[in-house]
């Protein structure tokens, strides 16, 4: 007669369960650039609140300091005014002395008010319209800069988002569309700059002496030494052209680390140009910083406030 088989008193331990992967944040979800999912990928509202303050506070600096030459158009004959296409289509008034001063101070005051975050749609649209008129006044006398378009787009889309607070932890598709529009415009600023170089200068542009001429005219102690190495400036022109044509790749960024790296690279390029020839595109640089994950800065600030206001645990009684 067979004896029953004994069973072990302890069960065999099961394999450890692998840790669950961290959920992907909506703003970091993969999406093909140009598709609706990419255009409307949600963005934290705290990012909008910080960038909005930066953009609006830059306007008084721009109007009164960095491009104060626009104010000089108040004192030139009105016959010199040759309005841009948008000025002709909208039948904008000729900039008289009074009009220029009114637009200047109305823009400064509206920007300071909008920086507070109050009435974001009303004040935001007012700032956009006044800045657009300021740019028409600036660029209708024979000189048109290409470093303003991304900043102007930022001013146009910020009011569409509505209210946003530094401590707001929500995400918004409207904010995602606005930041995507600014990013695309920043990209097109570089890509179309390369296209214009080839369109007007041909493929002789990268082998020409554009950078050499710039260093001769505006060079600093940090750049004049390059004149002794002609091949270096010619190589720099090829590198610049290649990077500008590769600008659409920046639409692929989605993680915070990639965003920070992209902004550091772009700002580093503009700082290098400023150090070499004294030219910097400040409005474009302001548009670039919209790419940064500013919500992390706002979250850290809130955490520090909570740490300071949190009640301290009572000390243990002494025996």
């Amino acid at each position: 007669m067979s004896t029953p088989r004994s069973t072990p008193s302890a069960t065999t331990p099961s394999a450890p369960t692998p840790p669950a992967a961290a959920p992907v944040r909506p703003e970091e979800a993969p999406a093909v650039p140009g598709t609706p999912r990419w255009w409307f990928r949600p963005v934290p509202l705290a990012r909008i609140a910080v960038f909005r303050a930066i953009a609006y506070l830059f306007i008084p600096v721009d109007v009164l300091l960095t491009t104060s030459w626009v104010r000089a158009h108040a004192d030139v004959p009105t016959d010199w005014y040759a309005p841009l296409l948008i000025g002709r289509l909208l039948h904008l008034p000729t900039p008289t002395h009074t009009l220029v001063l009114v637009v200047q101070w109305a823009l400064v005051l509206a920007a300071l008010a909008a920086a507070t975050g109050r009435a974001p749609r009303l004040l935001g649209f007012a700032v956009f319209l006044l800045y657009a008129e300021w740019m028409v006044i600036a660029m209708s006398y024979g000189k048109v800069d290409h470093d303003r378009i991304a900043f102007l787009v930022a001013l146009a889309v910020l009011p569409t988002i509505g209210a946003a607070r530094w401590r707001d932890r929500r995400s918004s598709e409207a904010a995602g569309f606005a930041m995507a529009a600014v990013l695309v415009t920043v990209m097109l600023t570089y890509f179309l700059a390369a296209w214009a170089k080839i369109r007007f200068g041909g493929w002789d542009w990268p082998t020409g002496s554009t950078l050499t001429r710039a260093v001769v005219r505006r060079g600093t102690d940090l750049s004049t030494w390059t004149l002794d190495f002609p091949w270096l400036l010619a190589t720099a022109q090829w590198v610049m052209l290649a990077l500008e044509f590769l600008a659409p790749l920046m639409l692929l960024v989605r993680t915070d680390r990639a965003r920070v790296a992209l902004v550091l690279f772009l700002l580093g390029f503009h700082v290098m140009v400023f150090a070499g020839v004294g030219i910097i595109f400040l409005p474009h640089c302001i548009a670039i910083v919209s790419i940064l994950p500013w919500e992390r800065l706002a979250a850290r600030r809130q955490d520090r406030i909570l740490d300071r206001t949190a009640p301290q645990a009572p000390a243990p009684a002494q025996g």
Side-chain angles (χ1 to χ4, degrees), residues 211-230 232-233 271-279:
L211 290 184
T212 301
R213 183 171 179 267
V215 173
V216 170
R217 293 180 59 214
R218 308 175 58 99
T220 67
D221 293 338
L222 297 176
S223 62
T224 51
W225 63 271
T226 59
L227 297 175
D228 297 328
F229 304 92
L232 182 60
L233 292 174
V271 170
M272 181 181 65
V273 172
F274 178 73
V277 294
I279 298 174

Side-chain angles (χ1 to χ4, degrees), residues 69-108:
W69 53 266
V70 182
R71 160 66 177 76
H73 290 162
D75 302 319
V76 302
T78 56
D79 292 341
W80 295 3
Y81 177 65
L84 301 175
L85 176 61
I86 187 172
R88 299 194 299 271
L89 292 177
L90 299 180
H91 302 286
L92 296 178
T94 300
T96 61
H97 181 86
T98 301
L99 178 65
V100 173
L101 293 183
V102 168
V103 173
Q104 178 187 29
W105 289 109
L107 175 57
V108 170

Side-chain angles (χ1 to χ4, degrees), residues 241-280:
L241 192 66
L243 291 177
E244 288 176 339
F245 271 127
L246 291 174
L249 293 178
M250 70 174 62
L251 301 182
L252 299 176
V253 300
R254 57 187 178 90
T255 65
D256 289 350
R257 182 172 297 181
R259 290 177 175 276
V260 172
L262 175 62
V263 170
L264 290 177
F265 174 78
L266 296 177
L267 293 183
F269 167 76
H270 289 286
V271 170
M272 181 181 65
V273 172
F274 178 73
V277 294
I279 298 174
I280 191 165

